[in-house]
Amino acid sequence: MLTHLFPTSKVNALERENERFPDYGCIDGHIDEAETKNNYHIIYPKGSYMDIMTPYLGTDPKKPKKAYVMSVVFTTDDDFFKFRGEACIRQFFIDATNFMVERFGKRNVFSAVVHVDEDRPHLHVNFLPYERNGQLMAIATKNKQAMVDFQDDIYEAVGVPWGLERGDKTTGVESRTHEEYLQARAMYRYILEVQDIIREIEGKRDELFSLQDDVESIQKTRDAVKREVRDLNQAKEALMQEKKRLMAEILKDTDLHAGIESMCTEPDPSRSKDESIRILKARNYCLQDKLISGQEETKDLLMRLKASEERNRSAEKYKAKAALADKIAAMFPEEWKELCRKAQDARGPARGQDRDGQMYSTA
């Protein structure tokens, strides 16, 4: 429960807020305008607030008396509203209004409106804090004991039947101006927003740590892919050289085979038949030996080519991650360098950089 004392100069602002006038300007953005239509009155004011308090302003319009309206706000914690239905919540506010009417008189309590378009449902009860003789009531004169007694009576009449706990007796004892109330409410909302920002920062920090791990993993994979590509290029060059050598051998064997065929088709009169057969058998044996050797080398070459193709296919799996790392480094060069520095610090001092600015181990 909060109590607020409004002088004449602030009553119009109070009315605009309580009754949600079209020209009411919410200073801290705490009102959900889509829910404003669901606000409701338990006591509807019979005229404007200024008209209602006219009897206490005097008869001379040039020298009006200083008059006051007191507003009491009833609410409780979120758990109370979370587990109760709309009818139950309405009855709670009706009970609070009935207490105020019994306590200050039906002629004084002129407005009771429930707002459901703010942080939590709450009731504004507005009344004229005057005795029958026209004197201000004790609670309107900042009498602390009167305020404590008032809170005790509310707790006994409303809090106990609804199972509410008694708050700190020193809380809300002193009346506050409307501006102080709005400032306190705005500060409360700012505190909630700061807490949300802190939670978001914590979440972003976890995401950053996860990203750092991912970047380090991508960097390691990228380095591994670079080494794999380099090895594959070297293997490819070696295979090309081997292919050239084998082709030279095949051409050499072809030339030799052509020479043998020429020898067979052009008989040498000086050579005996047996000697020619012996020479042909020897050369045939050499050709067969070279043929077997060439087949084995060709088979080995095919196996090496197949292994190279397998390594190439394995390397393709990492190209996407390597491309992602290059894209991140291009888009966020400073952040990339910072992450690389952190990764370097995490891996120890025995580190260096390659010509692309990427980290590598000197171990």
PDB file of all heavy atoms in Angstrom, residues 84-111:
ATOM      1  N   ARG A  84      -4.599 -16.581  -9.148  1.00  0.00           N
ATOM      2  CA  ARG A  84      -6.014 -16.251  -8.891  1.00  0.00           C
ATOM      3  C   ARG A  84      -6.669 -15.767 -10.174  1.00  0.00           C
ATOM      4  O   ARG A  84      -6.029 -15.122 -11.006  1.00  0.00           O
ATOM      5  CB  ARG A  84      -6.131 -15.182  -7.787  1.00  0.00           C
ATOM      6  CG  ARG A  84      -5.824 -15.730  -6.397  1.00  0.00           C
ATOM      7  CD  ARG A  84      -5.788 -14.617  -5.360  1.00  0.00           C
ATOM      8  NE  ARG A  84      -5.734 -15.139  -4.009  1.00  0.00           N
ATOM      9  CZ  ARG A  84      -4.616 -15.536  -3.428  1.00  0.00           C
ATOM     10  NH1 ARG A  84      -3.471 -15.489  -4.087  1.00  0.00           N
ATOM     11  NH2 ARG A  84      -4.621 -16.015  -2.193  1.00  0.00           N
ATOM     12  N   GLY A  85      -7.951 -16.073 -10.280  1.00  0.00           N
ATOM     13  CA  GLY A  85      -8.705 -15.678 -11.452  1.00  0.00           C
ATOM     14  C   GLY A  85      -9.149 -14.226 -11.388  1.00  0.00           C
ATOM     15  O   GLY A  85      -8.992 -13.535 -10.373  1.00  0.00           O
ATOM     16  N   GLU A  86      -9.747 -13.751 -12.476  1.00  0.00           N
ATOM     17  CA  GLU A  86     -10.158 -12.355 -12.573  1.00  0.00           C
ATOM     18  C   GLU A  86     -11.213 -12.000 -11.530  1.00  0.00           C
ATOM     19  O   GLU A  86     -11.154 -10.936 -10.910  1.00  0.00           O
ATOM     20  CB  GLU A  86     -10.697 -12.092 -13.988  1.00  0.00           C
ATOM     21  CG  GLU A  86     -11.139 -10.658 -14.214  1.00  0.00           C
ATOM     22  CD  GLU A  86     -11.628 -10.433 -15.632  1.00  0.00           C
ATOM     23  OE1 GLU A  86     -11.429 -11.335 -16.476  1.00  0.00           O
ATOM     24  OE2 GLU A  86     -12.214  -9.365 -15.891  1.00  0.00           O
ATOM     25  N   ALA A  87     -12.188 -12.894 -11.302  1.00  0.00           N
ATOM     26  CA  ALA A  87     -13.243 -12.611 -10.321  1.00  0.00           C
ATOM     27  C   ALA A  87     -12.673 -12.504  -8.914  1.00  0.00           C
ATOM     28  O   ALA A  87     -13.090 -11.649  -8.120  1.00  0.00           O
ATOM     29  CB  ALA A  87     -14.319 -13.704 -10.387  1.00  0.00           C
ATOM     30  N   CYS A  88     -11.710 -13.349  -8.606  1.00  0.00           N
ATOM     31  CA  CYS A  88     -11.087 -13.329  -7.280  1.00  0.00           C
ATOM     32  C   CYS A  88     -10.295 -12.032  -7.073  1.00  0.00           C
ATOM     33  O   CYS A  88     -10.359 -11.411  -6.006  1.00  0.00           O
ATOM     34  CB  CYS A  88     -10.172 -14.548  -7.127  1.00  0.00           C
ATOM     35  SG  CYS A  88      -9.449 -14.740  -5.488  1.00  0.00           S
ATOM     36  N   ILE A  89      -9.567 -11.617  -8.101  1.00  0.00           N
ATOM     37  CA  ILE A  89      -8.786 -10.377  -8.006  1.00  0.00           C
ATOM     38  C   ILE A  89      -9.719  -9.176  -7.843  1.00  0.00           C
ATOM     39  O   ILE A  89      -9.466  -8.275  -7.038  1.00  0.00           O
ATOM     40  CB  ILE A  89      -7.904 -10.224  -9.255  1.00  0.00           C
ATOM     41  CG1 ILE A  89      -6.848 -11.337  -9.292  1.00  0.00           C
ATOM     42  CG2 ILE A  89      -7.240  -8.853  -9.289  1.00  0.00           C
ATOM     43  CD1 ILE A  89      -6.028 -11.375 -10.567  1.00  0.00           C
ATOM     44  N   ARG A  90     -10.833  -9.179  -8.586  1.00  0.00           N
ATOM     45  CA  ARG A  90     -11.794  -8.081  -8.474  1.00  0.00           C
ATOM     46  C   ARG A  90     -12.357  -8.008  -7.049  1.00  0.00           C
ATOM     47  O   ARG A  90     -12.513  -6.913  -6.489  1.00  0.00           O
ATOM     48  CB  ARG A  90     -12.923  -8.279  -9.483  1.00  0.00           C
ATOM     49  CG  ARG A  90     -13.974  -7.157  -9.463  1.00  0.00           C
ATOM     50  CD  ARG A  90     -15.109  -7.504 -10.406  1.00  0.00           C
ATOM     51  NE  ARG A  90     -14.695  -7.443 -11.798  1.00  0.00           N
ATOM     52  CZ  ARG A  90     -14.859  -6.383 -12.574  1.00  0.00           C
ATOM     53  NH1 ARG A  90     -15.461  -5.287 -12.092  1.00  0.00           N
ATOM     54  NH2 ARG A  90     -14.474  -6.403 -13.822  1.00  0.00           N
ATOM     55  N   GLN A  91     -12.656  -9.164  -6.437  1.00  0.00           N
ATOM     56  CA  GLN A  91     -13.203  -9.174  -5.082  1.00  0.00           C
ATOM     57  C   GLN A  91     -12.192  -8.624  -4.080  1.00  0.00           C
ATOM     58  O   GLN A  91     -12.561  -7.938  -3.115  1.00  0.00           O
ATOM     59  CB  GLN A  91     -13.612 -10.595  -4.692  1.00  0.00           C
ATOM     60  CG  GLN A  91     -14.340 -10.682  -3.360  1.00  0.00           C
ATOM     61  CD  GLN A  91     -15.611  -9.845  -3.335  1.00  0.00           C
ATOM     62  OE1 GLN A  91     -16.458  -9.960  -4.217  1.00  0.00           O
ATOM     63  NE2 GLN A  91     -15.761  -9.008  -2.316  1.00  0.00           N
ATOM     64  N   PHE A  92     -10.898  -8.929  -4.291  1.00  0.00           N
ATOM     65  CA  PHE A  92      -9.848  -8.393  -3.421  1.00  0.00           C
ATOM     66  C   PHE A  92      -9.865  -6.867  -3.429  1.00  0.00           C
ATOM     67  O   PHE A  92      -9.807  -6.212  -2.374  1.00  0.00           O
ATOM     68  CB  PHE A  92      -8.482  -8.921  -3.874  1.00  0.00           C
ATOM     69  CG  PHE A  92      -7.320  -8.229  -3.228  1.00  0.00           C
ATOM     70  CD1 PHE A  92      -7.020  -8.421  -1.886  1.00  0.00           C
ATOM     71  CD2 PHE A  92      -6.511  -7.364  -3.967  1.00  0.00           C
ATOM     72  CE1 PHE A  92      -5.949  -7.768  -1.288  1.00  0.00           C
ATOM     73  CE2 PHE A  92      -5.445  -6.714  -3.381  1.00  0.00           C
ATOM     74  CZ  PHE A  92      -5.160  -6.917  -2.041  1.00  0.00           C
ATOM     75  N   PHE A  93      -9.987  -6.269  -4.610  1.00  0.00           N
ATOM     76  CA  PHE A  93     -10.009  -4.814  -4.708  1.00  0.00           C
ATOM     77  C   PHE A  93     -11.327  -4.240  -4.165  1.00  0.00           C
ATOM     78  O   PHE A  93     -11.338  -3.130  -3.610  1.00  0.00           O
ATOM     79  CB  PHE A  93      -9.795  -4.386  -6.157  1.00  0.00           C
ATOM     80  CG  PHE A  93      -8.389  -4.624  -6.654  1.00  0.00           C
ATOM     81  CD1 PHE A  93      -8.159  -5.229  -7.885  1.00  0.00           C
ATOM     82  CD2 PHE A  93      -7.303  -4.253  -5.890  1.00  0.00           C
ATOM     83  CE1 PHE A  93      -6.872  -5.433  -8.342  1.00  0.00           C
ATOM     84  CE2 PHE A  93      -6.003  -4.462  -6.336  1.00  0.00           C
ATOM     85  CZ  PHE A  93      -5.789  -5.059  -7.571  1.00  0.00           C
ATOM     86  N   ILE A  94     -12.421  -4.969  -4.315  1.00  0.00           N
ATOM     87  CA  ILE A  94     -13.695  -4.518  -3.731  1.00  0.00           C
ATOM     88  C   ILE A  94     -13.603  -4.472  -2.207  1.00  0.00           C
ATOM     89  O   ILE A  94     -14.061  -3.523  -1.561  1.00  0.00           O
ATOM     90  CB  ILE A  94     -14.846  -5.427  -4.180  1.00  0.00           C
ATOM     91  CG1 ILE A  94     -15.131  -5.220  -5.680  1.00  0.00           C
ATOM     92  CG2 ILE A  94     -16.117  -5.164  -3.362  1.00  0.00           C
ATOM     93  CD1 ILE A  94     -16.159  -6.177  -6.244  1.00  0.00           C
ATOM     94  N   ASP A  95     -12.963  -5.503  -1.622  1.00  0.00           N
ATOM     95  CA  ASP A  95     -12.785  -5.525  -0.165  1.00  0.00           C
ATOM     96  C   ASP A  95     -11.944  -4.335   0.291  1.00  0.00           C
ATOM     97  O   ASP A  95     -12.241  -3.704   1.323  1.00  0.00           O
ATOM     98  CB  ASP A  95     -12.125  -6.831   0.261  1.00  0.00           C
ATOM     99  CG  ASP A  95     -13.051  -8.031   0.084  1.00  0.00           C
ATOM    100  OD1 ASP A  95     -14.255  -7.820  -0.178  1.00  0.00           O
ATOM    101  OD2 ASP A  95     -12.564  -9.172   0.193  1.00  0.00           O
ATOM    102  N   ALA A  96     -10.888  -4.018  -0.457  1.00  0.00           N
ATOM    103  CA  ALA A  96     -10.039  -2.881  -0.097  1.00  0.00           C
ATOM    104  C   ALA A  96     -10.822  -1.575  -0.195  1.00  0.00           C
ATOM    105  O   ALA A  96     -10.703  -0.684   0.671  1.00  0.00           O
ATOM    106  CB  ALA A  96      -8.808  -2.845  -1.001  1.00  0.00           C
ATOM    107  N   THR A  97     -11.660  -1.450  -1.241  1.00  0.00           N
ATOM    108  CA  THR A  97     -12.469  -0.237  -1.403  1.00  0.00           C
ATOM    109  C   THR A  97     -13.475  -0.102  -0.264  1.00  0.00           C
ATOM    110  O   THR A  97     -13.688   1.002   0.286  1.00  0.00           O
ATOM    111  CB  THR A  97     -13.195  -0.266  -2.761  1.00  0.00           C
ATOM    112  OG1 THR A  97     -12.230  -0.385  -3.810  1.00  0.00           O
ATOM    113  CG2 THR A  97     -14.008   1.007  -2.965  1.00  0.00           C
ATOM    114  N   ASN A  98     -14.124  -1.203   0.098  1.00  0.00           N
ATOM    115  CA  ASN A  98     -15.098  -1.166   1.196  1.00  0.00           C
ATOM    116  C   ASN A  98     -14.438  -0.731   2.502  1.00  0.00           C
ATOM    117  O   ASN A  98     -15.044   0.012   3.291  1.00  0.00           O
ATOM    118  CB  ASN A  98     -15.746  -2.540   1.362  1.00  0.00           C
ATOM    119  CG  ASN A  98     -16.676  -2.868   0.209  1.00  0.00           C
ATOM    120  OD1 ASN A  98     -17.160  -1.974  -0.494  1.00  0.00           O
ATOM    121  ND2 ASN A  98     -16.923  -4.142  -0.009  1.00  0.00           N
ATOM    122  N   PHE A  99     -13.208  -1.180   2.727  1.00  0.00           N
ATOM    123  CA  PHE A  99     -12.499  -0.747   3.933  1.00  0.00           C
ATOM    124  C   PHE A  99     -12.298   0.763   3.911  1.00  0.00           C
ATOM    125  O   PHE A  99     -12.500   1.448   4.933  1.00  0.00           O
ATOM    126  CB  PHE A  99     -11.155  -1.452   4.040  1.00  0.00           C
ATOM    127  CG  PHE A  99     -10.241  -0.828   5.052  1.00  0.00           C
ATOM    128  CD1 PHE A  99     -10.370  -1.119   6.404  1.00  0.00           C
ATOM    129  CD2 PHE A  99      -9.259   0.090   4.668  1.00  0.00           C
ATOM    130  CE1 PHE A  99      -9.545  -0.529   7.341  1.00  0.00           C
ATOM    131  CE2 PHE A  99      -8.436   0.680   5.607  1.00  0.00           C
ATOM    132  CZ  PHE A  99      -8.575   0.368   6.937  1.00  0.00           C
ATOM    133  N   MET A 100     -11.913   1.315   2.765  1.00  0.00           N
ATOM    134  CA  MET A 100     -11.671   2.748   2.681  1.00  0.00           C
ATOM    135  C   MET A 100     -12.963   3.537   2.895  1.00  0.00           C
ATOM    136  O   MET A 100     -12.957   4.586   3.563  1.00  0.00           O
ATOM    137  CB  MET A 100     -11.071   3.079   1.303  1.00  0.00           C
ATOM    138  CG  MET A 100      -9.682   2.502   1.073  1.00  0.00           C
ATOM    139  SD  MET A 100      -8.429   3.227   2.157  1.00  0.00           S
ATOM    140  CE  MET A 100      -8.365   4.886   1.497  1.00  0.00           C
ATOM    141  N   VAL A 101     -14.074   3.040   2.352  1.00  0.00           N
ATOM    142  CA  VAL A 101     -15.360   3.726   2.531  1.00  0.00           C
ATOM    143  C   VAL A 101     -15.756   3.707   4.008  1.00  0.00           C
ATOM    144  O   VAL A 101     -16.225   4.713   4.558  1.00  0.00           O
ATOM    145  CB  VAL A 101     -16.441   3.079   1.656  1.00  0.00           C
ATOM    146  CG1 VAL A 101     -17.819   3.636   2.007  1.00  0.00           C
ATOM    147  CG2 VAL A 101     -16.125   3.311   0.183  1.00  0.00           C
ATOM    148  N   GLU A 102     -15.579   2.554   4.659  1.00  0.00           N
ATOM    149  CA  GLU A 102     -15.929   2.460   6.084  1.00  0.00           C
ATOM    150  C   GLU A 102     -15.009   3.329   6.934  1.00  0.00           C
ATOM    151  O   GLU A 102     -15.434   3.891   7.945  1.00  0.00           O
ATOM    152  CB  GLU A 102     -15.838   1.003   6.532  1.00  0.00           C
ATOM    153  CG  GLU A 102     -16.895   0.103   5.893  1.00  0.00           C
ATOM    154  CD  GLU A 102     -16.705  -1.357   6.277  1.00  0.00           C
ATOM    155  OE1 GLU A 102     -15.760  -1.639   7.057  1.00  0.00           O
ATOM    156  OE2 GLU A 102     -17.469  -2.203   5.773  1.00  0.00           O
ATOM    157  N   ARG A 103     -13.746   3.441   6.533  1.00  0.00           N
ATOM    158  CA  ARG A 103     -12.779   4.170   7.334  1.00  0.00           C
ATOM    159  C   ARG A 103     -12.942   5.681   7.176  1.00  0.00           C
ATOM    160  O   ARG A 103     -12.896   6.442   8.165  1.00  0.00           O
ATOM    161  CB  ARG A 103     -11.356   3.752   6.938  1.00  0.00           C
ATOM    162  CG  ARG A 103     -10.248   4.456   7.696  1.00  0.00           C
ATOM    163  CD  ARG A 103     -10.299   4.132   9.194  1.00  0.00           C
ATOM    164  NE  ARG A 103      -9.212   4.750   9.909  1.00  0.00           N
ATOM    165  CZ  ARG A 103      -8.089   4.117  10.249  1.00  0.00           C
ATOM    166  NH1 ARG A 103      -7.931   2.851   9.919  1.00  0.00           N
ATOM    167  NH2 ARG A 103      -7.150   4.737  10.920  1.00  0.00           N
ATOM    168  N   PHE A 104     -13.155   6.184   5.940  1.00  0.00           N
ATOM    169  CA  PHE A 104     -13.150   7.629   5.700  1.00  0.00           C
ATOM    170  C   PHE A 104     -14.515   8.195   5.322  1.00  0.00           C
ATOM    171  O   PHE A 104     -14.632   9.413   5.156  1.00  0.00           O
ATOM    172  CB  PHE A 104     -12.137   7.952   4.599  1.00  0.00           C
ATOM    173  CG  PHE A 104     -10.731   7.564   4.955  1.00  0.00           C
ATOM    174  CD1 PHE A 104     -10.127   6.466   4.361  1.00  0.00           C
ATOM    175  CD2 PHE A 104     -10.024   8.270   5.912  1.00  0.00           C
ATOM    176  CE1 PHE A 104      -8.836   6.099   4.702  1.00  0.00           C
ATOM    177  CE2 PHE A 104      -8.723   7.912   6.257  1.00  0.00           C
ATOM    178  CZ  PHE A 104      -8.134   6.812   5.654  1.00  0.00           C
ATOM    179  N   GLY A 105     -15.490   7.341   5.182  1.00  0.00           N
ATOM    180  CA  GLY A 105     -16.834   7.829   4.908  1.00  0.00           C
ATOM    181  C   GLY A 105     -17.162   7.850   3.429  1.00  0.00           C
ATOM    182  O   GLY A 105     -16.310   8.162   2.589  1.00  0.00           O
ATOM    183  N   LYS A 106     -18.399   7.526   3.116  1.00  0.00           N
ATOM    184  CA  LYS A 106     -18.829   7.467   1.721  1.00  0.00           C
ATOM    185  C   LYS A 106     -18.781   8.829   1.060  1.00  0.00           C
ATOM    186  O   LYS A 106     -18.551   8.942  -0.152  1.00  0.00           O
ATOM    187  CB  LYS A 106     -20.252   6.898   1.674  1.00  0.00           C
ATOM    188  CG  LYS A 106     -20.731   6.581   0.285  1.00  0.00           C
ATOM    189  CD  LYS A 106     -22.074   5.889   0.332  1.00  0.00           C
ATOM    190  CE  LYS A 106     -22.551   5.528  -1.066  1.00  0.00           C
ATOM    191  NZ  LYS A 106     -23.870   4.840  -1.030  1.00  0.00           N
ATOM    192  N   ARG A 107     -18.985   9.902   1.833  1.00  0.00           N
ATOM    193  CA  ARG A 107     -18.990  11.241   1.241  1.00  0.00           C
ATOM    194  C   ARG A 107     -17.582  11.676   0.832  1.00  0.00           C
ATOM    195  O   ARG A 107     -17.420  12.566  -0.026  1.00  0.00           O
ATOM    196  CB  ARG A 107     -19.565  12.246   2.236  1.00  0.00           C
ATOM    197  CG  ARG A 107     -18.725  12.423   3.478  1.00  0.00           C
ATOM    198  CD  ARG A 107     -19.361  13.378   4.479  1.00  0.00           C
ATOM    199  NE  ARG A 107     -18.509  13.577   5.643  1.00  0.00           N
ATOM    200  CZ  ARG A 107     -17.524  14.449   5.703  1.00  0.00           C
ATOM    201  NH1 ARG A 107     -17.269  15.223   4.647  1.00  0.00           N
ATOM    202  NH2 ARG A 107     -16.780  14.564   6.791  1.00  0.00           N
ATOM    203  N   ASN A 108     -16.531  11.093   1.449  1.00  0.00           N
ATOM    204  CA  ASN A 108     -15.159  11.486   1.145  1.00  0.00           C
ATOM    205  C   ASN A 108     -14.535  10.658   0.018  1.00  0.00           C
ATOM    206  O   ASN A 108     -13.767  11.174  -0.791  1.00  0.00           O
ATOM    207  CB  ASN A 108     -14.275  11.379   2.393  1.00  0.00           C
ATOM    208  CG  ASN A 108     -14.525  12.518   3.366  1.00  0.00           C
ATOM    209  OD1 ASN A 108     -14.973  13.594   2.975  1.00  0.00           O
ATOM    210  ND2 ASN A 108     -14.243  12.286   4.646  1.00  0.00           N
ATOM    211  N   VAL A 109     -14.827   9.368  -0.026  1.00  0.00           N
ATOM    212  CA  VAL A 109     -14.231   8.489  -1.052  1.00  0.00           C
ATOM    213  C   VAL A 109     -15.025   8.684  -2.340  1.00  0.00           C
ATOM    214  O   VAL A 109     -16.171   8.260  -2.445  1.00  0.00           O
ATOM    215  CB  VAL A 109     -14.252   7.017  -0.607  1.00  0.00           C
ATOM    216  CG1 VAL A 109     -13.649   6.137  -1.699  1.00  0.00           C
ATOM    217  CG2 VAL A 109     -13.495   6.848   0.713  1.00  0.00           C
ATOM    218  N   PHE A 110     -14.408   9.329  -3.327  1.00  0.00           N
ATOM    219  CA  PHE A 110     -15.159   9.688  -4.538  1.00  0.00           C
ATOM    220  C   PHE A 110     -14.716   8.916  -5.790  1.00  0.00           C
ATOM    221  O   PHE A 110     -15.348   8.994  -6.831  1.00  0.00           O
ATOM    222  CB  PHE A 110     -15.048  11.183  -4.810  1.00  0.00           C
ATOM    223  CG  PHE A 110     -13.639  11.675  -5.053  1.00  0.00           C
ATOM    224  CD1 PHE A 110     -13.075  11.639  -6.327  1.00  0.00           C
ATOM    225  CD2 PHE A 110     -12.884  12.182  -4.006  1.00  0.00           C
ATOM    226  CE1 PHE A 110     -11.804  12.090  -6.548  1.00  0.00           C
ATOM    227  CE2 PHE A 110     -11.589  12.637  -4.238  1.00  0.00           C
ATOM    228  CZ  PHE A 110     -11.038  12.591  -5.510  1.00  0.00           C
ATOM    229  N   SER A 111     -13.619   8.150  -5.693  1.00  0.00           N
ATOM    230  CA  SER A 111     -13.149   7.418  -6.875  1.00  0.00           C
ATOM    231  C   SER A 111     -12.358   6.188  -6.443  1.00  0.00           C
ATOM    232  O   SER A 111     -11.546   6.258  -5.503  1.00  0.00           O
ATOM    233  CB  SER A 111     -12.266   8.312  -7.762  1.00  0.00           C
ATOM    234  OG  SER A 111     -11.671   7.556  -8.803  1.00  0.00           O
TER     235      SER A 111
END
